[in-house]
Amino acid sequence: MSQFESIVWHVLGYSAMPVIILGGFAGVAALSIWLLSMTKDK
């Protein structure tokens, strides 16, 4: 693997981690808000 490919894979790997974490956080927050809105008194 060339140096350029190595740099590209490192950038992709390090940029994917926060996206996955923030996406998971946003998904859990949205699911929680939806569940709370379904169970609240009308």
Side-chain angles (χ1 to χ4, degrees):
M1 190 157 56
S2 70
Q3 185 67 31
F4 176 71
E5 285 176 306
S6 182
I7 291 170
V8 168
W9 283 114
H10 276 91
V11 169
L12 285 174
Y14 285 122
S15 62
M17 282 185 276
V19 169
I20 292 167
I21 292 167
L22 291 173
F25 177 78
V28 169
L31 185 66
S32 300
I33 291 168
W34 178 72
L35 284 173
L36 285 170
S37 71
M38 293 291 285
T39 58
K40 75 178 174 117
D41 293 329
K42 301 273 185 218

